[in-house]
Structures are given as structure tokens and as C-alpha cells.
Amino acid sequence: MSVLDSVEHEGEDVDSSLARILRNQKYHTGHSSWVESAVRSYLLARTAREAERHLLGRPPTLPVRAQWTAITQIESPDTRGAIRYERTAWGRRYASADGTERELWLLSVNSLKGDRPPAEITEAAAVAATGIPSQSAFHDIFRPAPGSTVHPQRVRVVGVGCGSGEHEVLADWDTAEVERRFVEDAQPVLRRVIEDGRLNPGSSCTRCEGLVGCEQPPRAPGVLGVPGPRRPRIRRSVSASDLRVHARCPAQFHLTRALHLKSGDPESEPVRRGRAVDQWLNLRHEDGCCRTVPLPDVLPGLSPSELPTALTLLMEHQRACPLDGLPSDEVVRIQPRLTMYDPELDVVLIADPDLLYTRSGGWVWHETKTAAKPPWEGRALLETYPQLAFAVLMMSAGVPGGDPRRSLIELEVLYLDAEGTGRSRCEEIDPGDPDTLSEARRVIAALAGPWAVDETYAPTPGSHCAVCDVLRHCAAGRAHLEAP
């Protein structure tokens, strides 16, 4: 966005602006590499859409610097005590010279985001149609800014994937159509958002100014068992998967987990199979035990030749579904987001169990893993699956609650034996056992220590480079693979 601002608003040429970014040492080299390709992809998309406008006989659009803000001012406080509501839409803004047409471009990091809900698209169009040029300041309302105050007659919303350069017109409506769709699609969602006062802790807690005084997430000082960084850092979130990726390659962690710069290349069959199995189980478990549910004829993301292995694994799960026989008055949660906050490190811990259910007053934390061959033995269970160690730390600290003496962690591994027959292995872990808790602390501290103090995220090339999502932006990884 900084490079595009300099190009579109300051008139700097693309090469000079990119060269300045690439020289800036505060950016990771992989980040700078992605920026270079993303900027060029975005500008090519803009050129293509402007050519389309020309063919349609519509006026060209020019960059707009000021934010568009839709403002609702009311005379007396409403039930929430508010007298003013401001709605904005993050993206890049363009308008025709006479102000009669506006465009709002919605950017996604990698590929074009194809699942934006109608309410999101409609609200973006509504802000573009009714917003006034404005600028914001910290702890202040949006103030009018220089710019055309002409209300447009037509707006267009364009989605673009900066990584791939894919782009698509999501909405192209006159203002009457925008108003109609806003009432139908966006207004009910906005009302629910405004009226919903529930706490929803998660990774967004890292950006919340009210976290210090909030009752969520549960506090667990020093839970990671590692010293803090040498100098203050912005609040971060971390999961067991994050720590595993960082241990493998800090550069991969930073680019994929912190900056979300995955390539969008097709995933491997094991990854797609695991996701397909998880999705089917999640849907079936919403209705309880899946033991007698007919298996599907297709699974999203899998080809006909890949389907039999996934169905074999699902069949093996059905044979011993953990919800089989569970009383109807017990609580079942499908992939709930669990959080915990370490105020000493200023870190929010995140976990998403595959299945979480109550049993006799305690909680059972259930993880399901798939494999095309028998799981390798010879390594400690908590080291092989650090998410189990993460679960031990969370449950021992009181998350999600219940009677700790009745709480349990289950690991279900679905795999094929040498003959291709489905097999399963289930391990049980007692989070209250002192030896287990000590082992979990050791495993997580070993992973979290380097992550907590890392400020450079240097690459560690190895065999994993061949399947790395960000190899395109990692010179060290490419050099490793090209070396004789």
C-alpha cells in the first residue's frame, strides 16, 4: 500500500518506489520480494480494468487519496449511548474526474478471494456510494478532507489477489441498486454486529486496546516458560503450529504465519486429504456420533483416484467415533477457538481442537490426524505432536474449564497399514499428571524460546524447501535446491 501510494498519489515511478522499499532494512527480504511482484500484479490489473471501462464507454478513474467515510449522526444517544456511527471500507479508491463514478478495490494477499459474503460486498459498495472524503486521527472522529464531494451515480467494487494478479468485478451498481441491496444484505448484519456484546477472544486480541482490563482470555503468566524479548515487542499470538513452523524455518514462519504470503500453489495430496476428512467429520459431528452416517460419494478437493484412501480412513473413524454413546445432555463443540493470555510475554495463545466435549463433569480435548502409512514410532508423543503439549498447558491452566480431575486429551491417528487396510490408534493423555505437565512445559519451552526472541527470521534451508509455500520469495531456499 505504501508503494502504491507513492506511485498513484505522488507520481513516483514504480521502479524507483520499489528500489526504495528493497533498500529498507526493516523489511524482511522475502517480504520485499513479495511486494515487488504484488505491486506489479496490482498495477497490471488496474490497467486491464481501465481498458475494460474504456470499451464500455465509461470515463476513466483516477486515484483518490482521502478515505471515504459513511457517517450517521443522531441527535440523542441510542441504547448503546452512541450519537455517531462511522463506516469505512479498507481498500484502494478511484473516481471519475467529475465524481459521478467511484471504484473501490478490495485487496487480498494471495489469490482472489472468491468467498466474500454478499453483505461484505454490499457494504463496500454502500460506503463507496455514500462516503465523504475524510481523514482520521488517533482517538478522533473522521474529519472532512479535501476532495470531490459530488455524490456518485454509480459504483463498482473490484476484488484483486495481489499474489496472483487475479481480479474480478464484484459489484457494478447504480446508487439505487446499492441502497436496495444495502437494506436487504448489509443492514441486518451491521445491526447484529452493533448489538452483539459477547466476548469473542482470539487472534484479534492482539490488536485490542481493552485487553488489559478484559475478563478474557484467561490469564496464565509465564505459561510458555521462556524469558521475554530483549526489547518491547508488539503483542503477538501464537499456536503450536506456529511454533513448529518457526522451528523448521523462521523465515517460512514469518512469511506464511505472520504475513500470510503463501503462494497459492496446489497443495499435496496428504494435506488435501487431511482437510477433506476433517471437513466431513466436522459437519457430521455437529449432529453427534457419525458411526451410522453413510459415507460420501465425493469429497471436496479430492480426485476420484484419491477418494478411496480418504473413505477408508473415515470408515475407520466411524468404527470408534468418540461421540458414540455420549449422553445427549453433554456439550459438544466442533473446532472451537480456545485462547489464553500470558501477560508477562504479552502473548495470546491460540488453539483449535478438532473436537471438544464434556463427559461426566470434565472436558475431553480430541485431536484427529490422518496418515497414509503407520505413524513413526521412537519419538515422544508430545514432541511428535506439540499441539498435545499445548493442550496440556492450556487444560492445566483451566482452559476450557470443568473438573480437571475428569479432563482428558485424546489423540486419534487414522492410517493405512502395509496392506492398505484402515487402522486407527488412540492415545490418552492426562493433563493433570505432574510428569506429563513437566514434559509438556519442556517441549513448548524448547520451541517457544527461539520464537519469543527472534527479530530477524533468518531462513534455515533444508529438504523442506522443496515444498515451501514461499520458495518464490526466498533466495536462500532456491539456492539450496539449485546447489549440486
Side-chain angles (χ1 to χ4, degrees):
M1 294 293 273
S2 175
V3 172
L4 291 175
D5 283 347
S6 67
V7 172
E8 294 186 332
H9 300 315
E10 308 299 336
E12 187 176 7
D13 70 87
V14 178
D15 291 336
S16 297
S17 183
L18 286 172
R20 178 164 41 81
I21 288 291
L22 294 173
R23 288 194 302 267
N24 194 325
Q25 296 299 309
K26 76 176 182 179
Y27 299 116
H28 193 279
T29 55
H31 189 181
S32 298
S33 172
W34 177 86
V35 167
E36 182 173 15
S37 63
V39 164
R40 297 189 189 281
S41 294
Y42 180 86
L43 293 175
L44 285 174
R46 272 287 298 161
T47 300
R49 285 301 169 184
E50 283 298 289
E52 178 189 63
R53 290 186 66 90
H54 179 72
L55 291 175
L56 294 173
R58 295 166 65 171
T61 60
L62 304 172
V64 174
R65 185 191 298 269
Q67 177 88 282
W68 289 327
T69 307
I71 300 171
T72 302
Q73 188 80 41
I74 51 183
E75 294 184 358
S76 57
D78 62 11
T79 56
R80 300 179 65 251
I83 59 173
R84 179 184 176 97
Y85 288 93
E86 298 174 339
R87 297 168 21 239
T88 63
W90 183 87
R92 300 202 65 80
R93 298 164 296 279
Y94 306 90
S96 59
D98 61 3
T100 59
E101 294 205 29
R102 286 180 177 178
E103 278 194 1
L104 179 63
W105 282 55
L106 306 180
L107 286 65
S108 48
V109 175
N110 302 306
S111 57
L112 174 66
K113 189 176 181 180
D115 59 351
R116 295 185 188 272
E120 180 182 346
I121 297 171
T122 301
E123 170 64 354
V127 169
T130 63
I132 63 171
S134 61
Q135 57 190 10
S136 64
F138 188 64
H139 281 177
D140 191 17
I141 63 174
F142 281 86
R143 304 286 183 179
S148 172
T149 57
V150 175
H151 287 292
Q153 300 171 7
R154 193 170 190 88
V155 299
R156 190 160 84 158
V157 179
V158 180
V160 58
C162 293
S164 64
E166 299 172 279
H167 46 95
E168 179 184 3
V169 176
L170 305 177
D172 193 349
W173 305 324
D174 61 28
T175 51
E177 178 73 0
V178 172
E179 183 177 3
R180 183 186 69 81
R181 289 178 179 263
F182 174 78
V183 172
E184 292 180 357
D185 296 334
Q187 198 172 57
V189 177
L190 286 169
R191 186 176 294 114
R192 289 197 298 271
V193 169
I194 291 171
E195 295 174 353
D196 192 350
R198 293 174 299 172
L199 296 176
N200 186 28
S203 56
S204 59
C205 292
T206 59
R207 303 184 298 276
C208 181
E209 296 179 14
L211 177 63
V212 173
C214 184
E215 62 188 70
Q216 290 288 341
R219 270 48 175 177
V223 66
L224 293 178
V226 298
R230 293 181 294 275
R231 53 186 176 181
R233 302 281 292 272
I234 62 171
R235 184 180 300 141
R236 295 177 288 172
S237 64
V238 69
S239 68
S241 296
D242 291 336
L243 295 179
R244 288 192 69 171
V245 175
H246 183 273
R248 180 167 61 239
C249 176
Q252 185 185 30
F253 161 81
H254 182 65
L255 297 178
T256 62
R257 297 292 175 138
L259 301 181
H260 309 290
L261 304 183
K262 293 183 179 181
S263 66
D265 293 339
E267 296 175 310
S268 65
E269 180 183 347
V271 172
R272 289 183 289 106
R273 180 174 58 243
R275 180 176 295 111
V277 168
D278 282 345
Q279 289 176 347
W280 190 87
L281 290 176
N282 290 342
L283 289 173
R284 301 290 80 77
H285 288 157
E286 288 180 356
D287 298 321
C289 177
C290 66
R291 185 167 187 170
T292 60
V293 178
L295 291 175
D297 295 325
V298 295
L299 285 172
L302 298 185
S303 67
S305 62
E306 296 168 339
L307 183 63
T309 297
L311 294 182
T312 299
L313 299 179
L314 286 174
M315 189 183 307
E316 184 61 22
H317 169 89
Q318 287 183 310
R319 187 182 61 81
C321 177
L323 301 182
D324 190 17
L326 191 71
S328 60
D329 59 344
E330 300 286 9
V331 178
V332 177
R333 300 175 64 189
I334 313 300
Q335 284 195 329
R337 171 57 55 91
L338 301 181
T339 57
M340 194 162 61
Y341 177 54
D342 183 346
E344 293 183 0
L345 281 183
D346 198 16
V347 169
V348 179
L349 282 68
I350 304 288
D352 301 307
D354 290 327
L355 196 59
L356 191 70
Y357 60 94
T358 59
R359 189 170 62 195
S360 303
W363 282 98
V364 179
W365 179 315
H366 187 91
E367 297 283 356
T368 302
K369 301 300 174 187
T370 60
K373 57 184 179 180
W376 176 64
E377 298 181 350
R379 190 180 183 190
L381 191 63
L382 299 188
E383 287 185 348
T384 304
Y385 302 100
Q387 62 267 45
L388 301 179
F390 222 67
V392 170
L393 295 185
M394 281 192 149
M395 296 194 91
S396 65
V399 177
D403 186 346
R405 296 169 300 176
R406 297 178 180 272
S407 294
L408 191 67
I409 299 168
E410 296 176 336
L411 171 66
E412 175 190 18
V413 182
L414 305 172
Y415 63 96
L416 301 181
D417 63 16
E419 289 73 37
T421 304
R423 293 283 185 263
S424 65
R425 179 180 301 173
C426 189
E427 302 282 352
E428 294 185 348
I429 300 169
D430 178 6
D433 176 67
D435 291 339
T436 299
L437 179 56
S438 177
E439 177 69 4
R441 286 173 174 164
R442 184 191 65 78
V443 169
I444 296 302
L447 293 172
W451 168 82
V453 299
D454 196 353
E455 296 182 358
T456 60
Y457 305 105
T460 54
S463 59
H464 53 267
C465 292
V467 293
C468 179
D469 279 330
V470 288
L471 179 64
R472 174 184 175 189
H473 303 297
C474 181
R478 294 195 304 274
H480 172 77
L481 295 179
E482 294 168 0

